[in-house]
Amino acid sequence: MVFTALFICLFAVGCSRSENVARETVSFEGGIMGTTYHITVVAELSDVASASTAEAIEHALKHVDGKMSTYKADSEISRLNQAPGGVYVPLSAETFAMLQLALEINRETEGAFDITVGPLVNAWGFGPTALENPPTEEELAALRKLVGPDKIELDSLTNSVRKSAKGVYCDLSAIAKGYAVDLVAELLKSRNLNAFMVEVGGEVRCSGLNAAGVPWNIAIEKPVSEGRVLQEVVGLSYISLATSGNYRNFYEIDGKRISHTIDPATGKPVDHALASASVLHERCALADAYATAMMVLGPEKGMEVAERLKLPVMFVLHGEDGTFETRQSDSFGRFVVK
Ligand code: ADP
Ligand code: MG
């Protein structure tokens, strides 16, 4: 999975005490899925029992990577990708559910979010192997025949998937980080830890309040490749934030930026003024996938779909002379910290 660098900045939080019970922040961090994770929990120290929590978090993250990474040849999704066409491949209930969810989001976003873009992602050099040459129009035409939600058939009785041809290739990179965040959130809740911020590769889910007793302050960055500059700060409790952008993971051909977001309708990297899209949703997997969909749809159509789905979104657009313009959907404003 190509996991890009962080799109958000995390605010440091302090410790507080109430009613003689020490409530402290405990942090967990490390690397996974080619990126980093940062988790902060506010709880009584005795609740966190940090060594076993740290181990459980690592285990959950490695579990998702082992199932959904196209970068691991022995992952479940890679097994599906290597399978011949026409045969049903049984999957775990978890990976099967992710494919079902991905198809649902594909319908909702008018085809913009499409995990079957794998062959195109790989051809444009954003898959496990580096790009040698950009694909020719003939190559693209051939690859596009392998792309589309109708190229995978899901059998929910047996949790099996049948590809229409061997070359059909599912890429979960735009949803798996969000799913990993959700899984860690569930894990923390199962341990009765209900005030936390979980972040994997820039996708974040917050629950409860931070140590200062207010919603978690999360900063969305300005979409610039160099350094980290604040664009907007949102206050989040019981909600997730994902940001997609083409300002970290890209390369240039003849001075033109080649984005890692592929428009399934054209087979090509997107090319419009949208520099980043941030989406809020209860489930981080959905926020993650919708954010990629917004990057495909572009500023106008993306906002139309966001309003239809009642999604709180913020877009940052490239303006004239290196400036930026922001646009927010109707429901985004109430999360902004003034
Ligand atoms: P971002 O933070 O920019 O969304 P992600 O890693 O979450 O980055 O998602 C980008 C990845 O999603 C790409 O590298 C590619 O593997 C995959 N992808 C590209 N285009 C699409 C698409 N239209 N639908 C689903 N996944 C896509
Ligand atoms: Mg994403």
Side-chain angles (χ1 to χ4, degrees):
M1 256 174 257
V2 171
F3 287 132
T4 49
L6 308 188
F7 293 117
I8 56 163
C9 312
L10 306 172
F11 275 57
V13 281
C15 302
S16 74
R17 282 166 181 275
S18 62
E19 296 174 85
N20 300 326
V21 178
R23 289 182 69 76
E24 312 256 0
T25 62
V26 183
S27 295
F28 305 91
E29 45 191 50
I32 194 75
M33 300 169 159
T35 185
T36 54
Y37 70 86
H38 300 87
I39 294 159
T40 302
V41 178
V42 181
E44 291 176 38
L45 275 187
S46 57
D47 288 342
V48 183
S50 45
S52 91
T53 305
E55 231 167 73
I57 290 168
E58 278 274 329
H59 183 265
L61 293 172
K62 285 192 179 135
H63 169 83
V64 178
D65 204 23
K67 289 208 179 296
M68 301 180 191
S69 172
T70 46
Y71 280 64
K72 287 191 150 59
D74 59 349
S75 72
E76 208 178 356
I77 203 70
S78 290
R79 209 163 40 73
L80 175 66
N81 288 336
Q82 289 148 17
V87 298
Y88 276 102
V89 179
L91 297 177
S92 65
E94 207 175 351
T95 303
F96 188 81
M98 212 36 49
L99 296 191
Q100 277 181 315
L101 179 64
L103 288 181
E104 212 174 292
I105 298 172
N106 176 270
R107 283 189 292 274
E108 283 181 337
T109 61
E110 302 175 20
F113 181 78
D114 189 345
I115 55 166
T116 70
V117 286
L120 296 166
V121 170
N122 295 343
W124 284 103
F126 294 107
T129 13
L131 177 81
E132 280 171 18
N133 290 302
T136 61
E137 290 294 336
E138 292 72 38
E139 283 163 346
L140 281 184
L143 292 174
R144 287 179 65 191
K145 296 203 171 84
L146 300 168
V147 176
D150 58 329
K151 305 299 182 297
I152 50 173
E153 199 180 314
L154 273 57
D155 175 29
S156 51
L157 277 182
T158 57
N159 287 345
S160 304
V161 179
R162 181 164 70 171
K163 305 192 301 183
S164 64
K166 180 162 173 37
V168 172
Y169 186 108
C170 296
D171 178 352
L172 296 176
S173 301
I175 194 168
K177 272 179 296 177
Y179 175 66
V181 169
D182 287 334
L183 202 66
V184 171
E186 293 310 321
L187 162 82
L188 295 174
K189 286 196 271 182
S190 75
R191 293 178 165 233
N192 211 19
L193 300 169
N194 296 303
F196 56 75
M197 188 281 309
V198 176
E199 177 263 329
V200 178
E203 323 301 12
V204 55
R205 178 162 168 161
C206 298
S207 175
L209 303 174
N210 68 12
V214 294
W216 300 84
N217 279 344
I218 310 289
I220 300 170
E221 284 179 25
K222 237 184 225 322
V224 290
S225 318
E226 313 80 31
R228 299 192 178 285
V229 192
L230 283 191
Q231 178 76 52
E232 196 82 90
V233 178
V234 285
L236 306 181
S237 254
Y238 306 111
I239 198 157
S240 305
L241 165 74
T243 298
S244 260
N246 59 22
Y247 55 103
R248 286 273 157 72
N249 192 10
F250 66 89
Y251 57 89
E252 288 186 1
I253 299 179
D254 301 331
K256 198 167 156 52
R257 190 172 281 206
I258 307 294
S259 160
H260 71 158
T261 307
I262 308 294
D263 184 348
T266 62
K268 295 183 179 166
V270 297
D271 182 16
H272 47 56
L274 193 52
S276 78
S278 298
V279 178
L280 294 165
H281 194 281
E282 186 191 348
R283 289 169 66 189
C284 199
L286 279 93
D288 198 3
Y290 284 132
T292 292
M294 294 300 136
M295 284 307 294
V296 173
L297 292 166
E300 278 80 30
K301 184 77 188 167
M303 192 57 80
E304 191 187 309
V305 170
E307 293 293 9
R308 173 165 56 72
L309 296 173
K310 300 196 168 26
L311 289 175
V313 304
M314 184 180 89
F315 293 167
V316 183
L317 285 80
H318 290 289
E320 299 292 313
D321 312 323
T323 57
F324 292 107
E325 180 202 335
T326 63
R327 292 184 196 167
Q328 299 176 354
S329 66
D330 287 346
S331 50
F332 190 84
R334 70 187 174 95
F335 296 97
V336 175
V337 177
K338 297 280 183 316

